[in-house]
Amino acid sequence: MIEIGIAGKPNSGKSTFFKSATLIDVAIANYPFTTIEPNVGIAHVRVRCVCEELGIKCGKCIDGWRFIPVKLIDVAGLVPEAHKGRGLGNEFLDNLRQSEAIIHVVDSSGSTDEEGNEIGVGQHDPLKDVEFLYKELDMWLFGILKKNWNKIVRRISIEKRDPVKYISEQLAGLGFKEWHVKEAIKDVKKDVLNFEDEDLLNFARELRKRRMKMVISANKADKAPEKFIESLMKLNEIVIPTSAIYELVLRTAAKNGYIRYLPGDEDFEILKELNEKQKRVLEKIRAFMKKYGGTGVQKVINSVVFDLLNYIVVYPVEDENRFTDTKGNVLPDAFLVKKGTTARDLAYMIHTDIGENFIYAIDAKKKVRIGEDYELKHNDVIKIVSAAK
């Protein structure tokens, strides 16, 4: 399952974002370090189900929308100099290692200082929070590299090691690939054997840009000054105005039967009689949704998976004519796979034996045989034929 980290300073709304996305009860309070242990929960990406295209009923979607699970990891708030152990220290940076990407929840209203303490709306520039996370990640990676760098350089020099391969091996535990290292070295424009501290920091920065991709959730956009939203939107990142608290209100109201609302909808329908206070709150939320096309929470999750990480959805089946598994369930599974995934790759994802004994696959839509090197496309429905028992 795809794992996505949620990062940001204390009191930026991370825990609210997490709860609204997963509806798991976590501590939510207006003071720093509410989150002490990383919270892990299941959120979902939202896509149009292929059953509509096929003209069948799958029983796995809601109003034609398929919700596919992803894992969210909400780590505790970072404060400046966390890489030096300040606040709750490096353990939270370590929690980001297993994540494929990061949702950086930023208080776009500017109502919390760099430590996460409450101040007046508009009193803190949220761009500083974006730069702060970059810096903390860069310094964290720099510290890891610096600790062993002399040994790494010595081994490369004496044993005539390939710098890219050897450094990649040393960083494998952090999720770095050879191409990350190769491109980062190229951009530093200096022989690794001659790296000084400034070069090593630049190297760490280039590594972070490639490995720790992020979408910025411009949270608390419901009370943010317009100039702050505009400045965030100019960043060279995917930035989505968000109100996690509004999303939480809507999901809670839907769960209790007061409204009809699916995560990611641009509007909602009231189902029960409400008092005046409830009506005013929902009217305010509706105005925000009209302005931004929703609350932003679902949009953030979808953007991470589809825009940032380049995943697509495919549907493996056993019966290519009825689009079912062996038990007759229609389109029982929806897999998130990277663009470029082949039919054989999919076979391995289903089961190692199926991958090892792959014979061919069938495009169930077109009813044609495809080979192991066929690159899967979004909404493909695929039958794997294998000699595995």
Side-chain angles (χ1 to χ4, degrees), residues 20-231:
S20 71
T22 63
L23 271 186
I24 292 176
D25 289 328
V26 295
I28 297 176
N30 285 330
Y31 53 84
F33 304 119
T34 304
T35 309
I36 304 301
E37 297 295 331
N39 292 293
V40 179
I42 302 300
H44 297 82
V45 293
R46 167 178 164 157
V47 293
R48 294 306 297 182
C49 184
V50 75
C51 69
E52 289 192 321
E53 180 186 339
L54 298 173
I56 57 177
K57 296 286 186 180
C58 71
K60 298 286 185 179
C61 62
I62 305 172
D63 297 335
W65 292 105
R66 190 86 168 213
F67 289 85
I68 306 170
V70 295
K71 187 182 291 185
L72 290 188
I73 303 169
D74 174 27
V75 300
L78 293 169
V79 295
E81 309 299 322
H83 65 277
K84 295 181 179 178
R86 186 166 180 270
L88 292 168
N90 281 332
E91 59 186 288
F92 303 118
L93 290 162
D94 285 341
N95 283 322
L96 296 177
R97 288 193 295 181
Q98 59 192 302
S99 304
E100 282 193 51
I102 298 168
I103 294 171
H104 184 189
V105 179
V106 174
D107 176 6
S108 67
S109 73
S111 62
T112 47
D113 66 17
E114 63 180 9
E115 304 280 346
N117 299 304
E118 288 282 341
I119 53 178
V121 170
Q123 298 300 302
H124 178 76
D125 185 352
L127 287 177
K128 292 181 179 179
D129 296 335
V130 177
E131 292 300 324
F132 138 71
L133 182 58
Y134 292 157
K135 180 183 176 182
E136 288 301 320
L137 292 173
D138 293 345
M139 294 304 295
W140 172 62
L141 287 172
F142 171 76
I144 292 170
L145 289 167
K146 177 69 175 173
K147 186 176 180 181
N148 299 304
W149 192 250
N150 289 337
K151 186 194 299 183
I152 290 171
V153 169
R154 191 161 55 247
R155 294 286 292 274
I156 291 172
S157 179
I158 295 173
E159 301 176 17
K160 306 301 181 186
R161 297 270 194 134
D162 179 330
V164 171
K165 286 188 176 181
Y166 187 63
I167 295 171
S168 299
E169 289 170 6
Q170 304 307 303
L171 296 176
L174 299 177
F176 286 96
K177 308 293 183 186
E178 277 192 27
W179 73 267
H180 293 137
V181 175
K182 184 177 181 179
E183 289 189 1
I185 290 174
K186 184 179 178 182
D187 278 0
V188 176
K189 300 176 181 177
K190 194 171 183 178
D191 189 324
V192 295
L193 298 179
N194 299 320
F195 272 14
E196 297 176 7
D197 280 359
E198 184 178 346
D199 303 309
L200 200 57
L201 179 56
N202 286 335
F203 181 49
R205 185 177 297 114
E206 294 300 328
L207 285 172
R208 182 262 303 166
K209 289 178 182 177
R210 288 161 176 79
R211 165 70 180 87
M212 296 176 168
K213 294 183 176 182
M214 62 183 71
V215 167
I216 294 174
S217 166
N219 195 36
K220 304 185 185 180
D222 50 287
K223 60 178 182 178
E226 199 67 38
K227 64 178 182 178
F228 283 177
I229 297 293
E230 290 174 358
S231 65

